[in-house]
Amino acid sequence: MSKHTKTNVMRTLETAGISYDTMEYDVSKGFVSGVDAAHKTGRDEAVVFKTLVTTGTSREHYVCVIPVAEELDLKKAAKVFGEKKIEMLHARDITKVTGYIKGGCSPAGMKKQFKTAVHNSACELDKIYVSAGKPGISVGVNPHELAHLIGAQFADLIV
């Protein structure tokens, strides 16, 4: 890694014996979407995933990990988690709930491990990129190893 120190996500992966590589991109001008991060680094949008946090009618939080260019289908996600309805967690609550800031939310290393689903397109890939827990840096990991680490299931989550 160049100028970044190790993040909690990286330490979590290392402790679990999961190999990873990093993908860094410039965020000096502010928030960068996952699609822009993929383009800036020359990665296919299909291998770069975003981490979305939701809240069910039960008030439980759930995490959905989907390709950056896709849109979360809230009805499908609710069904996966056994909820009548779920909605996106408001951006102002991201840090309080996950310990991460907007643009740096990762499915690994949250303050609490929530029930998580990864879009099933990841099953076909050798590596996916998810946030390393800090804007401007992502980690490339095997999706099956990541899912095992965080107790995630694979499911159809997109529109």
Side-chain angles (χ1 to χ4, degrees):
M1 277 179 45
S2 60
K3 56 191 174 256
H4 295 286
T5 57
K6 283 191 181 168
T7 65
N8 190 42
V9 173
M10 294 172 191
R11 286 188 288 277
T12 299
L13 292 169
E14 289 173 4
T15 299
I18 297 174
S19 64
Y20 65 90
D21 64 20
T22 59
M23 173 179 89
E24 298 180 42
Y25 49 95
D26 183 22
V27 293
S28 62
K29 292 182 174 52
F31 178 76
V32 174
S33 75
V35 170
D36 289 339
H39 293 171
K40 284 181 175 207
T41 59
R43 300 286 189 315
D44 186 328
E45 294 172 2
V47 302
V48 181
F49 282 60
K50 58 187 170 185
T51 303
L52 304 173
V53 183
T54 63
T55 306
T57 51
S58 67
R59 311 290 260 165
E60 291 292 320
H61 298 292
Y62 304 99
V63 177
C64 299
V65 183
I66 65 171
V68 294
E70 301 296 338
E71 182 182 339
L72 179 64
D73 186 316
L74 293 171
K75 288 182 180 183
K76 287 180 182 177
K79 187 174 182 180
V80 166
F81 296 118
E83 288 277 356
K84 287 184 179 191
K85 181 181 176 184
I86 64 170
E87 58 187 34
M88 294 299 301
L89 180 67
H90 196 283
R92 71 173 176 259
D93 296 326
I94 290 288
T95 302
K96 179 175 67 176
V97 171
T98 68
Y100 292 123
I101 62 170
K102 181 180 178 183
C105 193
S106 179
M110 287 189 187
K111 290 191 327 187
K112 175 184 174 191
Q113 187 61 60
F114 300 107
K115 288 183 183 175
T116 302
V118 177
H119 187 258
N120 54 19
S121 65
C123 290
E124 303 162 15
L125 302 170
D126 293 329
K127 183 185 293 183
I128 63 171
Y129 287 85
V130 297
S131 176
K134 180 178 179 181
I137 186 163
S138 295
V139 290
V141 297
N142 177 282
H144 298 281
E145 290 179 328
L146 176 65
H148 180 73
L149 174 68
I150 61 176
Q153 61 182 305
F154 291 98
D156 180 12
L157 298 168
I158 61 175
V159 174

